[in-house]
Amino acid sequence: MGITQSLFWFLSVLALVAALMVLLSKNPVHSVLWLIVVFFAISGHYILLNAQFLAIVNLIVYAGAIMVLFLFVIMLMNPNTETEPRKNFLVQIAGIVAGGCLLTVFISLVKQASEMNNKTALLKTGNIGLIGNLGKALFSDFVVPFEISSVLFLSAMVGAVVIGKKN
Amino acid sequence: MPIQYYIYLALTLFTIGIIGVLTRRNAIIIFMCIELMLNAVNLLLVAFSKMHNGIALVTNKDSMVGIDAQLFVFFIMVVAAAEVSVGLAIIVMMYRNTHSIDVNFLNRLKN
């Protein structure tokens, strides 16, 4: 087993364990920190797939900006973890069973799909993930959605200010 | 790496997110689980783009097949950032009105 395979398994296990810990930890701050671990693991996967631009953007946008926003909101509210209400036991079991059923259906579907056989995702090579190629495509074929997304950001900013301000 | 491994990993992450949405009552945790599901989809998109790129590279040495999937991931991140800012503002407003971030308090909307 080469170093690439070892890295793949390590990052996968890290992502899954951290995702489970997001659910299982009682304190919301710990959940945020575990979610940052998930994002780092997924960024590692992107680097392994040679999607370097997405790896950096994932780190900056998700682990940097969005998670800091979450932390700020949690600290603003200061929820005490002892009084946090839990759903009753039956509802939790029902949720877990429903998720398990969904996962089973998905996995059986993937197992049946014959067009997935012998297909591999290219690791460490290929240059479509480099920022030069992505930038060329972004500013030639995708320039209209790119400009529209700036309008989306403006409206999101105005909406957040309007919703969040005290009246 | 076989594409099935990436599919299983993304599916498991997505299912963990769904279970979190179904079982927790804290609005912030639910929001984080939605982010987890978005990231699982992003990972799957990148893996599929590399798969198609690898197939196309066999015939054409400098093929750019699959670059649109990675741009799609970029746009998903853009939309997710906008969504988080508005969603957290809504959660803050909800906390200011009800002094709780329990989503079960929202059932008063039905009256």
Side-chain angles (χ1 to χ4, degrees):
Chain A
M1 196 159 75
I3 189 161
T4 314
Q5 268 85 12
S6 322
L7 267 176
F8 173 83
W9 290 113
F10 171 70
L11 288 171
S12 304
V13 170
L14 182 68
L16 290 178
V17 169
L20 277 177
M21 289 307 289
V22 171
L23 293 192
L24 296 178
S25 50
K26 296 250 190 300
N27 195 337
V29 177
H30 292 170
S31 289
V32 171
L33 296 179
W34 280 114
L35 198 58
I36 291 176
V37 175
V38 177
F39 290 152
F40 268 87
I42 288 178
S43 279
H45 271 298
Y46 289 160
I47 291 175
L48 218 56
L49 286 163
N50 214 16
Q52 303 169 2
F53 173 67
L54 286 179
I56 294 298
V57 168
N58 196 45
L59 277 189
I60 292 174
V61 172
Y62 271 108
I66 292 181
M67 286 299 112
V68 169
L69 208 61
F70 269 101
L71 273 182
F72 264 117
V73 170
I74 289 173
M75 286 170 183
L76 203 69
M77 296 175 183
N78 192 17
N80 34 359
T81 53
E82 288 80 18
T83 60
E84 191 216 323
R86 311 280 298 181
K87 275 193 176 166
N88 65 40
F89 191 65
L90 210 64
V91 177
Q92 285 192 345
I93 292 290
I96 291 169
V97 168
C101 289
L102 186 73
L103 185 62
T104 316
V105 170
F106 275 151
I107 284 179
S108 67
L109 245 150
V110 173
K111 271 197 188 305
Q112 282 177 8
S114 58
E115 60 262 27
M116 307 271 188
N117 286 341
N118 302 320
K119 297 278 175 65
T120 56
L122 211 57
L123 291 184
K124 292 197 298 185
T125 48
N127 50 8
I128 59 166
L130 305 184
I131 187 166
N133 299 322
L134 278 176
K136 271 179 204 144
L138 184 63
F139 285 102
S140 57
D141 299 337
F142 292 88
V143 67
V144 177
F146 182 70
E147 295 297 337
I148 289 175
S149 68
S150 68
V151 180
L152 174 76
F153 265 126
L154 184 68
S155 60
M157 196 170 71
V158 172
V161 170
V162 167
I163 292 172
K165 93 172 180 233
K166 283 188 179 127
N167 43 357
Chain B
M1 195 54 71
I3 191 70
Q4 273 96 348
Y5 292 168
Y6 278 104
I7 300 176
Y8 293 144
L9 173 65
L11 285 180
T12 317
L13 280 175
F14 190 84
T15 312
I16 290 172
I18 283 185
I19 290 175
V21 170
L22 290 177
T23 54
R24 296 296 295 257
R25 279 169 66 176
N26 192 331
I28 290 180
I29 307 269
I30 289 176
F31 213 47
M32 284 196 273
C33 289
I34 293 172
E35 296 302 311
L36 194 61
M37 290 196 271
L38 281 172
N39 265 279
V41 173
N42 282 351
L43 179 62
L44 196 58
L45 270 172
V46 174
F48 273 132
S49 96
K50 292 301 283 188
M51 182 187 93
H52 283 293
N53 186 243
I55 294 168
L57 278 182
V58 175
T59 53
N60 184 0
K61 202 76 170 141
D62 38 29
S63 159
M64 284 292 157
V65 172
I67 202 167
D68 34 2
Q70 303 212 359
L71 282 172
F72 213 87
V73 171
F74 178 69
F75 281 115
I76 291 175
M77 284 177 184
V78 166
V79 174
E83 170 232 339
V84 162
S85 63
V86 176
L88 282 177
I90 290 176
I91 290 178
V92 168
M93 187 190 65
M94 171 184 156
Y95 180 75
R96 204 179 282 148
N97 288 334
T98 63
H99 292 285
S100 164
I101 44 175
D102 188 353
V103 287
N104 279 25
F105 272 107
L106 290 182
N107 66 4
R108 71 182 59 174
L109 277 178
K110 72 187 173 193
N111 294 324

